[in-house]
Coordinates of all heavy atoms in Angstrom, one line a residue:
M1 N 0.8 -1.2 0.0 CA 0.0 0.0 0.0 C 0.9 1.2 0.0 O 2.0 1.2 0.4 CB -1.0 0.0 1.2 CG -0.3 0.4 2.5 SD -1.5 0.4 3.9 CE -2.1 -1.2 3.9
P2 N 0.3 2.3 -0.5 CA 1.2 3.6 -0.5 C 1.6 4.0 0.9 O 0.8 3.8 1.9 CB 0.2 4.6 -1.1 CG -0.8 3.8 -1.8 CD -1.0 2.5 -1.1
N3 N 2.7 4.5 1.0 CA 3.2 5.0 2.3 C 2.6 6.4 2.5 O 2.4 7.2 1.6 CB 4.7 5.1 2.4 CG 5.4 3.7 2.3 OD1 4.9 2.8 2.9 ND2 6.5 3.6 1.6
F4 N 2.4 6.8 3.8 CA 2.0 8.2 4.1 C 2.4 8.5 5.5 O 2.6 7.6 6.3 CB 0.5 8.3 3.8 CG -0.4 7.5 4.7 CD1 -0.8 7.9 6.0 CD2 -0.8 6.2 4.3 CE1 -1.6 7.1 6.8 CE2 -1.6 5.4 5.2 CZ -2.0 5.9 6.4
K5 N 2.4 9.8 5.8 CA 2.7 10.2 7.2 C 1.5 10.6 7.9 O 1.4 10.3 9.1 CB 3.7 11.4 7.1 CG 4.1 11.9 8.5 CD 5.2 13.0 8.4 CE 5.6 13.5 9.8 NZ 6.6 14.5 9.7
D6 N 0.6 11.3 7.3 CA -0.6 11.8 8.0 C -1.8 11.2 7.4 O -2.3 11.6 6.3 CB -0.6 13.4 7.8 CG -1.8 14.0 8.5 OD1 -2.6 13.3 9.1 OD2 -1.9 15.3 8.3
G7 N -2.4 10.3 8.1 CA -3.6 9.6 7.6 C -4.8 10.5 7.5 O -5.8 10.1 6.8
S8 N -4.8 11.6 8.1 CA -6.0 12.5 8.1 C -6.2 13.2 6.8 O -7.2 13.7 6.5 CB -5.9 13.6 9.2 OG -4.8 14.5 8.9
V9 N -5.2 13.0 5.9 CA -5.3 13.7 4.6 C -6.0 12.7 3.6 O -6.2 13.1 2.4 CB -4.0 14.2 4.0 CG1 -3.4 15.2 4.9 CG2 -3.1 13.0 3.7
F10 N -6.3 11.5 4.0 CA -7.0 10.5 3.2 C -8.5 10.4 3.5 O -8.8 10.5 4.7 CB -6.3 9.1 3.3 CG -5.0 9.0 2.6 CD1 -3.8 9.4 3.3 CD2 -4.9 8.6 1.3 CE1 -2.6 9.3 2.7 CE2 -3.7 8.5 0.7 CZ -2.6 8.9 1.3
H11 N -9.3 10.2 2.5 CA -10.7 10.1 2.7 C -11.1 8.7 2.2 O -11.0 8.4 1.0 CB -11.4 11.2 1.9 CG -12.9 11.2 2.1 ND1 -13.7 12.0 1.3 CD2 -13.7 10.6 2.9 CE1 -14.9 11.9 1.7 NE2 -15.0 11.0 2.6
Q12 N -11.6 7.9 3.1 CA -11.9 6.5 2.7 C -13.3 6.5 2.1 O -14.3 7.0 2.6 CB -11.9 5.6 4.0 CG -12.0 4.1 3.6 CD -11.8 3.2 4.8 OE1 -12.0 3.6 5.9 NE2 -11.5 1.9 4.5
L13 N -13.4 5.8 0.9 CA -14.6 5.6 0.2 C -14.9 4.1 0.0 O -14.7 3.6 -1.1 CB -14.5 6.3 -1.2 CG -14.2 7.8 -1.1 CD1 -13.9 8.4 -2.5 CD2 -15.3 8.6 -0.5
P14 N -15.4 3.4 1.0 CA -15.5 2.0 1.0 C -16.4 1.4 -0.1 O -16.3 0.3 -0.5 CB -15.9 1.6 2.4 CG -16.5 2.8 3.0 CD -15.8 4.0 2.3
T15 N -17.4 2.2 -0.5 CA -18.3 1.7 -1.5 C -18.1 2.2 -2.9 O -18.9 1.9 -3.8 CB -19.8 2.1 -1.1 OG1 -19.9 3.6 -1.1 CG2 -20.1 1.6 0.3
D16 N -17.0 2.9 -3.1 CA -16.7 3.5 -4.5 C -16.1 2.4 -5.4 O -15.0 1.9 -5.2 CB -15.7 4.6 -4.3 CG -15.5 5.4 -5.6 OD1 -15.7 4.8 -6.7 OD2 -15.2 6.6 -5.6
S17 N -16.9 1.9 -6.3 CA -16.5 0.8 -7.2 C -15.3 1.2 -8.1 O -14.7 0.3 -8.8 CB -17.7 0.3 -8.0 OG -18.1 1.4 -8.9
N18 N -15.0 2.5 -8.3 CA -13.8 2.8 -9.1 C -12.5 2.2 -8.6 O -11.6 2.1 -9.3 CB -13.7 4.4 -9.2 CG -14.9 5.0 -10.0 OD1 -15.2 4.5 -11.1 ND2 -15.5 6.0 -9.4
F19 N -12.5 1.9 -7.3 CA -11.3 1.3 -6.7 C -11.3 -0.2 -6.9 O -10.4 -0.9 -6.5 CB -11.2 1.6 -5.2 CG -11.0 3.1 -5.0 CD1 -12.0 4.0 -4.8 CD2 -9.7 3.6 -4.9 CE1 -11.8 5.3 -4.6 CE2 -9.4 5.0 -4.7 CZ -10.5 5.8 -4.6
D20 N -12.3 -0.8 -7.5 CA -12.4 -2.2 -7.7 C -12.1 -2.6 -9.2 O -11.9 -3.8 -9.5 CB -13.8 -2.7 -7.4 CG -14.2 -2.5 -6.0 OD1 -13.4 -2.5 -5.1 OD2 -15.4 -2.2 -5.7
T21 N -12.1 -1.6 -10.0 CA -12.0 -1.9 -11.5 C -10.5 -2.3 -11.8 O -9.6 -1.6 -11.3 CB -12.3 -0.6 -12.3 OG1 -13.7 -0.3 -11.9 CG2 -12.3 -0.9 -13.8
I22 N -10.3 -3.3 -12.6 CA -9.0 -3.7 -13.0 C -8.7 -3.2 -14.4 O -9.6 -3.3 -15.3 CB -8.9 -5.3 -13.0 CG1 -9.3 -5.9 -11.6 CG2 -7.5 -5.7 -13.5 CD1 -8.4 -5.4 -10.5
H23 N -7.6 -2.6 -14.5 CA -7.2 -1.9 -15.8 C -6.0 -2.7 -16.5 O -5.1 -3.1 -15.8 CB -6.8 -0.5 -15.5 CG -7.9 0.3 -14.8 ND1 -9.0 0.8 -15.5 CD2 -8.0 0.6 -13.5 CE1 -9.8 1.4 -14.6 NE2 -9.2 1.3 -13.4
A24 N -6.1 -2.7 -17.8 CA -5.0 -3.3 -18.5 C -3.9 -2.4 -18.7 O -4.0 -1.2 -18.7 CB -5.6 -3.7 -19.9
P25 N -2.7 -2.9 -18.9 CA -1.5 -2.1 -19.2 C -1.7 -1.3 -20.5 O -2.3 -1.7 -21.4 CB -0.4 -3.1 -19.4 CG -0.8 -4.3 -18.7 CD -2.3 -4.3 -18.8
G26 N -1.3 0.0 -20.4 CA -1.5 0.9 -21.6 C -2.8 1.5 -21.7 O -3.0 2.3 -22.6
Q27 N -3.8 1.1 -20.9 CA -5.1 1.7 -20.9 C -5.1 3.2 -20.5 O -4.2 3.6 -19.7 CB -6.0 0.9 -20.0 CG -7.5 1.4 -20.0 CD -8.3 0.5 -19.1 OE1 -8.0 -0.7 -18.9 NE2 -9.4 1.0 -18.6
I28 N -6.0 4.0 -21.0 CA -6.1 5.4 -20.5 C -6.4 5.4 -19.0 O -7.4 4.8 -18.6 CB -7.2 6.1 -21.3 CG1 -6.8 6.1 -22.8 CG2 -7.3 7.6 -20.8 CD1 -5.5 6.9 -23.1
T29 N -5.7 6.2 -18.3 CA -5.9 6.4 -16.8 C -7.2 7.1 -16.6 O -7.4 8.2 -17.0 CB -4.7 7.1 -16.2 OG1 -3.5 6.4 -16.5 CG2 -4.9 7.3 -14.7
P30 N -8.1 6.5 -15.9 CA -9.4 7.1 -15.6 C -9.4 8.2 -14.5 O -10.2 9.1 -14.5 CB -10.3 5.9 -15.2 CG -9.4 4.9 -14.7 CD -8.1 5.1 -15.4
F31 N -8.5 8.0 -13.5 CA -8.4 9.0 -12.4 C -7.0 9.1 -12.1 O -6.2 8.1 -12.0 CB -9.2 8.4 -11.2 CG -10.6 8.1 -11.4 CD1 -11.0 6.8 -11.6 CD2 -11.6 9.1 -11.3 CE1 -12.4 6.5 -11.9 CE2 -12.9 8.9 -11.5 CZ -13.3 7.6 -11.8
S32 N -6.5 10.4 -11.8 CA -5.2 10.6 -11.4 C -5.0 10.0 -10.0 O -5.8 10.1 -9.1 CB -4.9 12.1 -11.3 OG -5.0 12.7 -12.6
G33 N -3.9 9.3 -9.8 CA -3.6 8.7 -8.5 C -2.6 7.6 -8.6 O -1.8 7.5 -9.5
I34 N -2.6 6.7 -7.6 CA -1.7 5.6 -7.4 C -2.4 4.3 -7.8 O -3.5 4.1 -7.4 CB -1.1 5.5 -6.0 CG1 -0.4 6.8 -5.7 CG2 -0.2 4.3 -5.8 CD1 0.0 6.9 -4.2
Y35 N -1.7 3.6 -8.7 CA -2.2 2.3 -9.2 C -1.3 1.2 -8.7 O -0.1 1.4 -8.7 CB -2.4 2.3 -10.7 CG -3.5 3.2 -11.1 CD1 -3.3 4.6 -11.2 CD2 -4.7 2.7 -11.5 CE1 -4.4 5.4 -11.6 CE2 -5.8 3.5 -11.9 CZ -5.6 4.8 -11.9 OH -6.6 5.6 -12.3
K36 N -1.9 0.0 -8.4 CA -1.1 -1.1 -7.9 C -1.2 -2.3 -8.9 O -2.3 -2.6 -9.3 CB -1.6 -1.5 -6.5 CG -0.9 -2.6 -5.9 CD -1.4 -2.8 -4.4 CE -0.6 -3.8 -3.7 NZ -1.0 -3.9 -2.3
C37 N -0.1 -2.9 -9.2 CA -0.1 -4.1 -10.0 C -0.8 -5.2 -9.2 O -0.3 -5.5 -8.0 CB 1.3 -4.5 -10.4 SG 1.4 -6.1 -11.3
Q38 N -1.8 -5.9 -9.7 CA -2.5 -6.9 -9.0 C -1.7 -8.2 -8.9 O -2.1 -9.1 -8.1 CB -3.9 -7.1 -9.6 CG -4.8 -5.9 -9.5 CD -4.9 -5.5 -8.1 OE1 -5.7 -6.1 -7.3 NE2 -4.2 -4.4 -7.7
S39 N -0.7 -8.3 -9.6 CA 0.1 -9.5 -9.6 C 1.2 -9.5 -8.5 O 1.4 -10.4 -7.8 CB 0.8 -9.8 -11.0 OG 1.6 -10.9 -11.0
C40 N 2.0 -8.3 -8.5 CA 3.1 -8.3 -7.6 C 3.1 -7.2 -6.6 O 4.0 -7.1 -5.7 CB 4.4 -8.2 -8.4 SG 4.6 -6.6 -9.2
G41 N 2.2 -6.2 -6.7 CA 2.1 -5.2 -5.7 C 2.9 -3.9 -6.0 O 2.8 -2.9 -5.3
F42 N 3.6 -3.9 -7.2 CA 4.3 -2.7 -7.6 C 3.3 -1.5 -7.8 O 2.2 -1.7 -8.2 CB 5.0 -3.0 -8.9 CG 5.8 -1.8 -9.4 CD1 7.1 -1.7 -9.0 CD2 5.3 -0.9 -10.3 CE1 7.9 -0.6 -9.4 CE2 6.1 0.1 -10.8 CZ 7.4 0.3 -10.3
E43 N 3.7 -0.4 -7.3 CA 2.8 0.8 -7.4 C 3.4 1.9 -8.4 O 4.6 2.0 -8.4 CB 2.5 1.4 -6.0 CG 1.8 0.5 -5.1 CD 1.7 1.0 -3.7 OE1 2.4 1.9 -3.3 OE2 0.9 0.4 -3.0
C44 N 2.5 2.6 -9.0 CA 2.9 3.6 -9.9 C 1.9 4.8 -9.8 O 0.8 4.6 -9.3 CB 2.9 3.2 -11.4 SG 1.3 2.9 -12.1
A45 N 2.4 6.0 -10.1 CA 1.5 7.1 -10.2 C 1.1 7.4 -11.7 O 2.0 7.3 -12.5 CB 2.2 8.4 -9.6
S46 N -0.1 7.7 -11.9 CA -0.5 7.9 -13.3 C -1.6 9.1 -13.3 O -2.3 9.2 -12.4 CB -1.1 6.7 -13.9 OG -1.2 6.8 -15.3
V47 N -1.5 9.9 -14.4 CA -2.4 11.0 -14.5 C -3.6 10.8 -15.4 O -3.4 10.2 -16.5 CB -1.5 12.2 -15.0 CG1 -2.4 13.5 -15.2 CG2 -0.4 12.5 -14.0
K48 N -4.7 11.2 -15.0 CA -5.9 11.1 -15.8 C -5.7 11.5 -17.3 O -5.1 12.6 -17.5 CB -7.1 11.9 -15.2 CG -8.4 11.7 -16.0 CD -9.5 12.6 -15.4 CE -10.8 12.5 -16.2 NZ -11.9 13.2 -15.6
G49 N -6.1 10.6 -18.2 CA -5.9 11.0 -19.6 C -4.6 10.5 -20.2 O -4.5 10.3 -21.4
H50 N -3.6 10.2 -19.4 CA -2.4 9.6 -19.8 C -2.6 8.0 -19.8 O -3.6 7.6 -19.4 CB -1.2 10.0 -18.9 CG -0.9 11.4 -19.0 ND1 0.4 11.9 -19.0 CD2 -1.6 12.5 -19.1 CE1 0.4 13.2 -19.1 NE2 -0.8 13.6 -19.2
T51 N -1.6 7.3 -20.3 CA -1.8 5.9 -20.3 C -1.1 5.3 -19.0 O -0.1 5.8 -18.5 CB -1.1 5.2 -21.5 OG1 0.2 5.6 -21.6 CG2 -1.9 5.6 -22.8
L52 N -1.7 4.2 -18.5 CA -1.1 3.4 -17.4 C 0.2 2.8 -18.0 O 0.3 2.6 -19.2 CB -2.1 2.4 -16.9 CG -3.2 2.9 -16.1 CD1 -4.4 1.9 -16.0 CD2 -2.8 3.3 -14.7
P53 N 1.1 2.5 -17.2 CA 2.4 1.9 -17.6 C 2.0 0.7 -18.6 O 1.2 -0.2 -18.2 CB 3.1 1.4 -16.4 CG 2.6 2.4 -15.4 CD 1.2 2.7 -15.7
P54 N 2.7 0.6 -19.7 CA 2.4 -0.4 -20.7 C 3.0 -1.8 -20.5 O 2.6 -2.7 -21.2 CB 2.9 0.2 -22.0 CG 4.1 1.0 -21.5 CD 3.7 1.5 -20.2
E55 N 3.9 -2.0 -19.5 CA 4.5 -3.3 -19.4 C 3.5 -4.4 -19.1 O 2.6 -4.2 -18.3 CB 5.6 -3.3 -18.4 CG 5.2 -2.9 -17.0 CD 5.5 -1.4 -16.7 OE1 5.6 -0.6 -17.6 OE2 5.7 -1.1 -15.5
R56 N 3.6 -5.5 -19.7 CA 2.7 -6.6 -19.5 C 3.2 -7.7 -18.6 O 2.5 -8.5 -18.2 CB 2.3 -7.2 -20.9 CG 1.7 -6.2 -21.8 CD 0.8 -6.8 -22.8 NE 0.1 -5.7 -23.6 CZ -1.0 -5.1 -23.3 NH1 -1.7 -5.5 -22.2 NH2 -1.5 -4.2 -24.0
G57 N 4.5 -7.6 -18.3 CA 5.1 -8.5 -17.3 C 5.7 -7.8 -16.1 O 6.3 -6.7 -16.3
C58 N 5.6 -8.3 -14.9 CA 6.1 -7.7 -13.7 C 7.6 -7.4 -13.8 O 8.1 -6.5 -13.2 CB 5.7 -8.5 -12.5 SG 4.0 -8.6 -12.2
A59 N 8.3 -8.3 -14.5 CA 9.8 -8.1 -14.5 C 10.2 -6.8 -15.1 O 11.3 -6.3 -15.0 CB 10.4 -9.2 -15.3
N60 N 9.3 -6.2 -15.9 CA 9.6 -4.9 -16.5 C 9.2 -3.7 -15.7 O 9.5 -2.5 -16.1 CB 8.8 -4.8 -17.9 CG 9.3 -5.9 -18.8 OD1 10.4 -6.2 -18.9 ND2 8.3 -6.4 -19.6
H61 N 8.7 -3.8 -14.5 CA 8.4 -2.7 -13.6 C 9.6 -1.9 -13.3 O 9.7 -0.7 -13.6 CB 7.7 -3.1 -12.3 CG 6.4 -3.7 -12.4 ND1 5.4 -3.1 -13.1 CD2 5.8 -4.8 -11.8 CE1 4.3 -3.8 -13.0 NE2 4.5 -4.8 -12.2
H62 N 10.6 -2.5 -12.7 CA 11.8 -1.9 -12.3 C 12.8 -3.0 -12.0 O 12.5 -4.0 -11.4 CB 11.6 -1.0 -11.0 CG 12.8 -0.2 -10.7 ND1 13.9 -0.6 -10.1 CD2 12.9 1.1 -10.9 CE1 14.7 0.4 -9.9 NE2 14.2 1.5 -10.4
S63 N 14.1 -2.8 -12.3 CA 15.1 -3.8 -12.2 C 15.3 -4.2 -10.7 O 15.7 -5.3 -10.4 CB 16.4 -3.3 -12.8 OG 16.9 -2.2 -12.1
Q64 N 15.0 -3.3 -9.8 CA 15.2 -3.6 -8.4 C 13.9 -4.1 -7.6 O 13.9 -4.3 -6.4 CB 15.8 -2.4 -7.6 CG 17.2 -2.1 -8.1 CD 17.7 -0.8 -7.4 OE1 17.0 0.0 -7.0 NE2 19.1 -0.8 -7.3
W65 N 12.8 -4.2 -8.4 CA 11.6 -4.6 -7.8 C 11.6 -6.1 -7.4 O 12.3 -6.9 -8.1 CB 10.4 -4.3 -8.7 CG 9.0 -4.7 -8.1 CD1 8.1 -5.6 -8.6 CD2 8.5 -4.1 -6.9 NE1 7.0 -5.6 -7.8 CE2 7.2 -4.8 -6.8 CE3 8.9 -3.2 -6.0 CZ2 6.4 -4.5 -5.7 CZ3 8.0 -2.9 -4.9 CH2 6.8 -3.6 -4.8
K66 N 10.9 -6.5 -6.3 CA 11.0 -7.8 -5.8 C 10.4 -8.9 -6.7 O 10.8 -10.1 -6.6 CB 10.2 -7.9 -4.4 CG 8.7 -7.5 -4.6 CD 8.0 -7.4 -3.2 CE 6.6 -7.0 -3.4 NZ 5.9 -6.9 -2.1
A67 N 9.4 -8.6 -7.5 CA 8.8 -9.6 -8.3 C 9.5 -9.8 -9.6 O 10.0 -8.8 -10.2 CB 7.3 -9.2 -8.6
S68 N 9.5 -11.0 -10.1 CA 10.2 -11.2 -11.4 C 9.3 -11.8 -12.4 O 9.7 -12.1 -13.5 CB 11.5 -12.0 -11.2 OG 11.1 -13.3 -10.6
S69 N 8.1 -12.2 -12.0 CA 7.2 -12.8 -13.0 C 5.7 -12.4 -12.7 O 5.4 -11.9 -11.6 CB 7.3 -14.3 -13.0 OG 6.9 -14.8 -11.7
G70 N 4.9 -12.6 -13.6 CA 3.5 -12.3 -13.4 C 2.9 -11.4 -14.6 O 3.7 -10.7 -15.3
V71 N 1.6 -11.5 -14.7 CA 1.0 -10.6 -15.7 C 0.4 -9.4 -15.1 O -0.2 -9.5 -14.0 CB -0.2 -11.4 -16.4 CG1 -0.9 -10.6 -17.4 CG2 0.3 -12.7 -17.1
V72 N 0.7 -8.2 -15.6 CA 0.4 -7.0 -15.0 C -1.1 -6.6 -15.3 O -1.6 -6.8 -16.4 CB 1.3 -5.8 -15.6 CG1 0.8 -4.5 -15.1 CG2 2.7 -6.1 -15.3
S73 N -1.8 -6.2 -14.2 CA -3.0 -5.5 -14.3 C -3.1 -4.4 -13.2 O -2.5 -4.7 -12.1 CB -4.2 -6.5 -14.2 OG -4.2 -7.1 -12.9
W74 N -3.7 -3.3 -13.5 CA -3.6 -2.2 -12.5 C -4.9 -1.9 -11.8 O -6.0 -2.0 -12.5 CB -3.2 -0.9 -13.3 CG -1.9 -1.0 -13.9 CD1 -1.6 -1.0 -15.3 CD2 -0.6 -1.0 -13.3 NE1 -0.3 -1.1 -15.5 CE2 0.4 -1.1 -14.3 CE3 -0.2 -0.9 -12.0 CZ2 1.8 -1.1 -14.1 CZ3 1.2 -1.0 -11.7 CH2 2.1 -1.0 -12.8
R75 N -4.9 -1.6 -10.6 CA -6.1 -1.2 -9.8 C -5.8 0.1 -9.0 O -4.7 0.2 -8.4 CB -6.5 -2.3 -8.8 CG -7.8 -2.0 -8.1 CD -8.3 -3.2 -7.3 NE -7.3 -3.6 -6.2 CZ -7.3 -3.0 -5.0 NH1 -8.2 -2.1 -4.7 NH2 -6.4 -3.4 -4.1
L76 N -6.7 1.0 -9.1 CA -6.6 2.3 -8.4 C -6.6 2.1 -6.8 O -7.5 1.4 -6.3 CB -7.7 3.2 -8.7 CG -7.8 4.6 -8.1 CD1 -6.6 5.5 -8.6 CD2 -9.1 5.3 -8.4
V77 N -5.6 2.6 -6.1 CA -5.6 2.4 -4.7 C -5.6 3.8 -3.9 O -6.0 3.8 -2.8 CB -4.3 1.6 -4.2 CG1 -4.4 0.2 -4.7 CG2 -3.0 2.3 -4.6
A78 N -5.3 4.9 -4.6 CA -5.4 6.2 -4.0 C -5.6 7.2 -5.1 O -4.9 7.2 -6.1 CB -4.2 6.6 -3.2
A79 N -6.7 8.0 -5.0 CA -7.0 8.9 -6.1 C -6.8 10.3 -5.6 O -7.2 10.7 -4.5 CB -8.5 8.7 -6.5
A80 N -6.2 11.2 -6.5 CA -6.1 12.6 -6.2 C -7.5 13.3 -6.4 O -8.2 12.9 -7.3 CB -5.1 13.2 -7.1
I81 N -7.8 14.2 -5.5 CA -9.0 14.9 -5.6 C -8.8 16.2 -6.5 O -8.0 17.0 -6.2 CB -9.6 15.3 -4.3 CG1 -9.9 14.1 -3.5 CG2 -10.8 16.2 -4.4 CD1 -10.3 14.4 -2.0
H82 N -9.5 16.2 -7.6 CA -9.4 17.3 -8.6 C -10.7 18.1 -8.6 O -10.7 19.2 -9.1 CB -9.0 16.9 -10.0 CG -7.7 16.3 -10.0 ND1 -6.5 17.0 -9.6 CD2 -7.2 15.2 -10.6 CE1 -5.5 16.2 -9.8 NE2 -5.8 15.1 -10.4
V83 N -11.8 17.5 -8.2 CA -13.1 18.2 -8.2 C -13.8 18.0 -6.9 O -13.7 16.9 -6.3 CB -14.0 17.7 -9.4 CG1 -13.4 18.2 -10.7 CG2 -14.2 16.2 -9.3
T84 N -14.5 19.0 -6.4 CA -15.1 18.8 -5.1 C -16.2 17.9 -5.1 O -16.6 17.4 -4.0 CB -15.6 20.2 -4.6 OG1 -16.4 20.8 -5.5 CG2 -14.4 21.1 -4.3
A85 N -16.8 17.5 -6.2 CA -17.9 16.6 -6.3 C -17.5 15.2 -5.8 O -18.4 14.5 -5.3 CB -18.5 16.5 -7.7
N86 N -16.3 14.9 -5.9 CA -15.8 13.5 -5.5 C -15.3 13.5 -4.0 O -14.9 12.5 -3.5 CB -14.6 13.1 -6.4 CG -15.2 12.7 -7.8 OD1 -16.4 12.5 -7.9 ND2 -14.3 12.6 -8.7
A87 N -15.3 14.7 -3.4 CA -14.7 14.7 -2.0 C -15.7 14.2 -1.0 O -16.8 14.0 -1.3 CB -14.4 16.2 -1.7
Ligands
ZN1 ZN1 3.6 -6.5 -11.3

């Protein structure tokens, strides 16, 4: 999970299904925030409208990452708030 110092800056949304959706590598990022690889736990930041990291295998995340195999799929774990309607 993402590291943080002050938990009071996070707003938990337990029923928001946007955090349940699984995204394919290279797909357009639906919400700016932190995404987690469902295979190995690697996390990345991605901006709405840009593409999620395109690598299809966990070994391509980073040379120093713990996982060396697996098929990549991304899930939103922390979303940046850009509009007050989502707050
Ligand atoms: Zn991975």
Side-chain angles (χ1 to χ4, degrees):
M1 78 177 58
N3 295 323
F4 62 90
K5 182 175 181 179
D6 179 3
S8 71
V9 301
F10 285 87
H11 183 188
Q12 189 171 23
L13 302 172
T15 61
D16 190 332
S17 63
N18 291 311
F19 293 90
D20 300 326
T21 305
I22 303 300
H23 304 280
Q27 182 178 334
I28 298 297
T29 303
F31 302 97
S32 295
I34 298 172
Y35 289 78
K36 183 174 188 173
C37 173
Q38 295 305 283
S39 178
C40 71
F42 184 84
E43 294 173 346
C44 72
S46 192
V47 176
K48 180 180 179 179
H50 292 217
T51 55
L52 288 163
E55 58 262 27
R56 301 205 175 270
C58 293
N60 296 324
H61 291 313
H62 191 282
S63 62
Q64 296 180 328
W65 182 240
K66 60 185 177 183
S68 59
S69 64
V71 176
V72 175
S73 61
W74 300 108
R75 185 172 64 83
L76 179 66
V77 294
I81 296 174
H82 292 310
V83 291
T84 54
N86 287 344

